Amino acid sequence: MNNFAKAVGVGFVSLGLWSSTALAQDSWWKTAAQPYQGATIRGISESTPASKYVEQVLGPKFTEETGIKVEFEATSWDQMYDKAIKDMEANTGIYDFVYIEQDIVYTYLARNFLVDITKSLADNAKIASPDFKPENFTTFLNYFKDPKSGNVMGVPMEAFIKPYLYRKDLFEDPAIQKAYKDATGADLKPATTHEEYTQIAKFFTEYGADKELWGTTVQASSSHPAAFYEFFESVAPTFGVYNWGIDGTTFAATEANGGQMNSAAAKKALNYWVDLLKYAPPESTSSTWDEVAGTFAAGRAAQGLVYGENAAWIATDESKSTVVGKVGVALPPVEAGVMEAAGSGKGYIGYYDGGAFGIPHSSKNKDASLLFLQYIGQASVQTDWALAGSRIVMNSTYDDPKIVEQDQKMNGYYTLMRDDGKLFAGAPPYPFHSQVLQVVAPFIYKAIVGEIKPDDALDQAATAAEAELVKLGYRK
């Protein structure tokens, strides 16, 4: 979900800066890897900043220390899933480790695709690294544990929230503040309500008519699941519609049967989101997470919901971003009562995204892959990885001086994630994730292009989701 692949030539932190802690463990890694000398493990992931760091830094360093070669394929989101799932279904063993996004892990667990990491290390103590400690991870690790056994099934490699980014240089410009005040009667500041957000979007679209500047980003590709995800995981929750509007007990989706997918709140949310397209750049109806990040980095939007994995390079990398030093970070705007519900644990205000690497049962090199997953799960490799991909999976990383320094350049993104990350949540634990997405997303696409009205789109989507859940045997 990033614009990073366009800048593959940009180097990472020098290998020469590798921490002394990791180097000190060379002897352990070499000893543990002796039985697997000359082996090649193959992995696949989405081409994100965090994944590119694995490909260009962690993989080569692991090979240097162990003699185990890492072949890593960083590809598009849809190709990643297509290749990984087909490999695991056919049991062909092409890949030895795969990226597991938080919202798909429940499907993988239900289909028994993954090796139990906890059990595997307990069964083979010779390859259990003393530096791999699950307790060092943030609670994000819990998403990758087997709900029944509590065992770890994936090692987190990236985690981030989806915050509200805004252009500080625009919001804090005295002339613009006066113009906004004259036009709206309100002070210009990051929105806390949807009405404020729309008002700001409208103002900046009019203000930027001759400047290639629009009021907001919208991740509204009319042919890609990114639109489904932005609406159901980032926008709908700010209106109090959680878990895609599907009841987790009865699996009802329609309001008539106790679901929320076509509730009044959900319809208000979709109307709001589709309406924002009037104030968004023309590329918005073909924008996935990649294009949204690129749009914001190009200075084409005054505000937007942008995945946190892109926050670091947008805010700090002048080779790829035109808004370095101009990025503000805030919580998303919400409806009345939603922030309180999130604070009490009864709701959430947006998506806590990220993923882990897991080992397929079909892997032909499980032990060598277990070594690699532990290697990337050391505390000693986390800081520079975080600097490259604005991802944090261990609590100790927040306090590292390098991260504290970058946090200041990012206007407090890491502080926001640490202090308010609890207000965000991962996707619901639905093993039917992909099936419901496939039947619901087309109605969201139709609403985006104006083929049907948002209210009708959700009525039809809820009906289709419920029918699919009946078909799958979840709803009786």
Side-chain angles (χ1 to χ4, degrees), residues 397-409 414:
T397 309
Y398 286 112
D399 297 322
D400 188 282
K402 291 182 181 179
I403 298 301
V404 173
E405 180 181 359
Q406 190 183 58
D407 188 41
Q408 294 173 351
K409 295 177 181 178
Y414 291 129

Side-chain angles (χ1 to χ4, degrees), residues 407-428:
D407 188 41
Q408 294 173 351
K409 295 177 181 178
M410 296 168 66
N411 199 44
Y413 167 72
Y414 291 129
T415 298
L416 185 79
M417 182 174 166
R418 181 193 62 201
D419 295 346
D420 293 319
K422 60 183 178 295
L423 301 174
F424 296 75

Side-chain angles (χ1 to χ4, degrees), residues 124-151:
N124 189 354
K126 291 182 179 180
I127 60 169
S129 168
D131 282 344
F132 178 68
K133 301 175 181 178
E135 63 270 22
N136 286 346
F137 288 89
T138 66
T139 55
F140 188 67
L141 175 67
N142 294 337
Y143 286 113
F144 302 98
K145 290 182 177 179
D146 184 309
K148 297 178 181 177
S149 67
N151 287 356

